[in-house]
Amino acid sequence: MNRIGSLVAGFALVALLSGCPSNKDAPKGDSTPKGDKAPADKKVVEGKKGKLEELTAKTDAVVKVKVTTDAKLGDVIKALEAHGDKSVCLAGTEEEKREQTWIPGKDGGLANVVVWFEAPAGKKFADAKVEGTASIDQPHCAFVPHVVVVKPGQKFVVKNSSKVLHNSKITGDASVDNSFNPTIKAGDEAPIDLKSQRDPLDIACSIHPWMSGKIFAPSHPYIGVSDDKGEITIPNVPSGVELKMVIWHEGKGKTEETVTLKAGDNSFDKKITK
Ligand SMILES: [Cu+2]
């Protein structure tokens, strides 16, 4: 990408990360984003970040979302049944052996739905970090979970608890150097120095081409992914201010709505039809 292309890409990325429409005001401000290496890009980033007002709302809302679906579990993947590693791959759970986009639970709950919040136009969330480690495993020949969320401050590890070799090709945003491709031996794991980005990263394995997953690593912790019951809990979300609530599923894309959360529990029931 040439220098002008880099500038445009950098500017567009910042507009996306900040959740604010781009404008032509002269950039001002002095905050320095981490991980930004190009001086020309940094000037633009500083300007955009400097213009955003930090939200001062209390973070005392708890968001509970239950997602149901009419989808049924898909067929066993044909390439998996024909692969040289099939004895290991076919030892996986029913979900692991099948197409991963739609994974309904027994009670109609839908796994791998991601819900996150975005600050209103012109505002940004205050920095907030979460402790601990997020991980994705390859117990047989699928990524488990299929969709993982990595919050700011969390470490990220790709595990291989299976008996075969996997590689884990992670494709992220090129402008923040967020792509990786570790080869991970049976029983081993690879720590990944993931940077935050707004769009999900892809994870795949070239040894088992049907293997795929998604990694969400936003710059804020107001995000969660549904478990096998279709349930998501997101604690410590700002209350009393209008936020954009985004609901994403791999098979359906995104829907957005504006919400103002109250202190304590805020429950939402959502249905995603195939
Ligand atoms: Cu693999």
Side-chain angles (χ1 to χ4, degrees):
M1 194 185 287
N2 63 28
R3 189 174 178 82
I4 293 172
S6 300
L7 269 169
V8 171
F11 190 82
L13 173 71
V14 172
L16 280 173
L17 286 172
S18 63
C20 133
S22 60
N23 65 51
K24 290 172 184 163
D25 291 349
K28 286 176 186 163
D30 57 9
S31 59
T32 305
K34 287 171 189 156
D36 191 63
K37 289 170 191 161
D41 284 359
K42 191 160 77 178
K43 195 170 177 185
V44 178
V45 170
E46 284 171 1
K48 292 302 296 177
K49 206 168 179 179
K51 290 187 73 67
L52 295 174
E53 186 187 335
E54 203 164 87
L55 273 182
T56 54
K58 280 188 185 171
T59 51
D60 54 5
V62 180
V63 175
K64 295 184 174 181
V65 187
K66 165 87 180 181
V67 188
T68 52
T69 185
D70 61 346
K72 301 280 181 279
L73 207 54
D75 295 332
V76 174
I77 297 162
K78 292 275 184 286
L80 184 153
E81 293 178 299
H83 196 274
D85 290 336
K86 68 179 178 185
S87 64
V88 168
C89 301
L90 289 170
T93 64
E94 286 308 308
E95 288 80 8
E96 284 177 74
K97 292 183 283 191
R98 292 161 195 266
E99 208 285 316
Q100 299 278 294
T101 303
W102 295 91
I103 304 183
K106 287 188 183 72
D107 62 350
L110 182 60
N112 301 318
V113 177
V114 181
V115 173
W116 71 90
F117 292 88
E118 295 181 0
K123 305 255 174 121
K124 63 175 182 178
F125 292 125
D127 285 344
K129 297 220 184 299
V130 174
E131 292 186 346
T133 301
S135 64
I136 193 167
D137 192 11
Q138 301 157 98
H140 301 90
C141 301
F143 291 104
V144 178
H146 178 60
V147 177
V148 66
V149 163
V150 185
K151 297 181 178 182
Q154 286 190 312
K155 295 187 175 77
F156 180 55
V157 177
V158 180
K159 298 179 177 177
N160 177 8
S161 64
S162 80
K163 293 178 177 149
V164 294
L165 187 73
H166 292 287
N167 77 309
S168 304
K169 184 173 167 46
I170 296 170
T171 307
D173 198 321
S175 69
V176 290
D177 192 17
N178 219 12
S179 295
F180 309 85
N181 194 7
T183 298
I184 309 174
K185 291 181 294 187
D188 209 349
E189 62 181 42
I192 304 290
D193 184 18
L194 206 62
K195 297 154 199 84
S196 63
Q197 65 172 70
R198 186 185 182 199
D199 293 326
L201 299 89
D202 292 308
I203 183 166
C205 172
S206 46
I207 300 166
H208 310 102
W210 61 86
M211 288 178 66
S212 75
K214 297 280 183 186
I215 305 162
F216 283 77
S219 60
H220 61 78
Y222 311 120
I223 185 166
V225 57
S226 64
D227 60 17
D228 57 3
K229 296 189 182 81
E231 293 175 353
I232 306 165
T233 300
I234 311 174
N236 306 323
V237 185
S239 66
V241 288
E242 274 195 356
L243 300 175
K244 192 195 288 179
M245 183 165 87
V246 185
I247 300 174
W248 174 96
H249 181 262
E250 188 177 4
K252 296 291 272 197
K254 287 190 296 190
T255 59
E256 300 177 353
E257 61 190 277
T258 300
V259 297
T260 301
L261 303 169
K262 63 182 194 293
D265 287 355
N266 297 257
S267 296
F268 300 88
D269 286 314
K270 299 289 176 184
K271 182 158 191 180
I272 299 181
T273 53
K274 188 171 176 183

